[in-house]
Amino acid sequence: MLKLMIIDDEPFVRKALCQAIDWKKEDCLVAADCRNGREALDQMETVRPDIVITDVRMPFMNGVELAKELCRNWPETLVIMISGYEEFEYAKAAVNYGVFAYLLKPLDTEELLETLRRAGKRVADRKRLNSMQVTDRRIYEEVLRGTFQYDKYEKEHELLQK
């Protein structure tokens, strides 16, 4: 089950994100919801979410600053950024800090779910890969590019073992 952290300074948006989707059906658990990036950072060590869904514009610490801290201290956590603003600077900063996706408000539930499914697959692939000994440099390059597919690797690995 994937652990999520939802961060938005608007209580109604935060509640809607927590309750509008059947997270259990998606094999997800909303482990924490926070009002801003600073509150989220305070909870990171105890919650250890797989995926963070964060607004961009918030008081005290915005989503871009949060993404920077997560990239530095919890690089395994994927970040999905949501924003009501189509400003290029936010998107550019998000890319610089390895944000997995940048979605615009109003959110399309299906787009959010599809993004979460892709993020969940990446999390699962990373966890499985971490449990194996990898010596092939190509695998690391694919992980960095975001093109790594665990299922494909597992099949190749099985064939080589025979």
Side-chain angles (χ1 to χ4, degrees):
M1 180 169 278
L2 291 171
K3 287 196 323 187
L4 305 178
M5 179 183 282
I6 295 175
I7 306 135
D8 199 301
D9 61 319
E10 296 179 53
F12 188 74
V13 172
R14 212 170 48 249
K15 186 173 185 176
L17 281 168
C18 290
Q19 300 195 7
I21 295 171
D22 184 351
W23 293 114
K24 191 173 186 178
K25 179 181 170 193
E26 297 299 323
D27 199 31
C28 294
L29 167 70
V30 177
D33 64 282
C34 305
R35 295 173 294 204
N36 58 62
R38 204 179 287 162
E39 186 179 314
L41 281 181
D42 289 344
Q43 294 189 36
M44 279 300 294
E45 199 59 46
T46 55
V47 174
R48 291 285 191 169
D50 298 301
I51 300 171
V52 164
I53 301 172
T54 183
D55 190 14
V56 173
R57 285 195 179 177
M58 298 177 290
F60 308 114
M61 177 183 275
N62 68 40
V64 173
E65 294 165 331
L66 173 62
K68 181 179 180 179
E69 288 299 314
L70 295 178
C71 180
R72 182 181 306 142
N73 298 305
W74 293 276
E76 70 282 356
T77 300
L78 296 184
V79 177
I80 297 172
M81 201 167 276
I82 57 175
S83 177
Y85 305 95
E86 255 186 277
E87 294 181 29
F88 177 71
E89 289 306 312
Y90 287 130
K92 181 180 170 186
V95 168
N96 287 338
Y97 299 120
V99 169
F100 182 79
Y102 189 94
L103 305 177
L104 293 175
K105 292 179 185 176
L107 288 173
D108 175 331
T109 306
E110 281 307 311
E111 180 183 21
L112 175 60
L113 286 173
E114 179 56 36
T115 302
L116 276 165
R117 290 175 189 133
R118 286 187 301 110
K121 182 176 178 348
R122 178 151 327 153
V123 168
D125 286 350
R126 280 185 184 174
K127 286 181 179 181
R128 286 190 247 165
L129 188 59
N130 284 339
S131 70
M132 304 175 83
Q133 276 196 321
V134 178
T135 57
D136 188 344
R137 182 183 176 134
R138 172 182 56 101
I139 301 302
Y140 292 117
E141 290 171 0
E142 288 179 10
V143 168
L144 290 175
R145 284 194 307 269
T147 59
F148 176 74
Q149 296 176 358
Y150 181 81
D151 298 337
K152 179 182 159 191
Y153 174 75
E154 189 175 47
K155 286 177 188 170
E156 288 177 13
H157 189 67
E158 284 177 13
L159 289 173
L160 291 173
Q161 298 300 323
K162 291 181 180 183

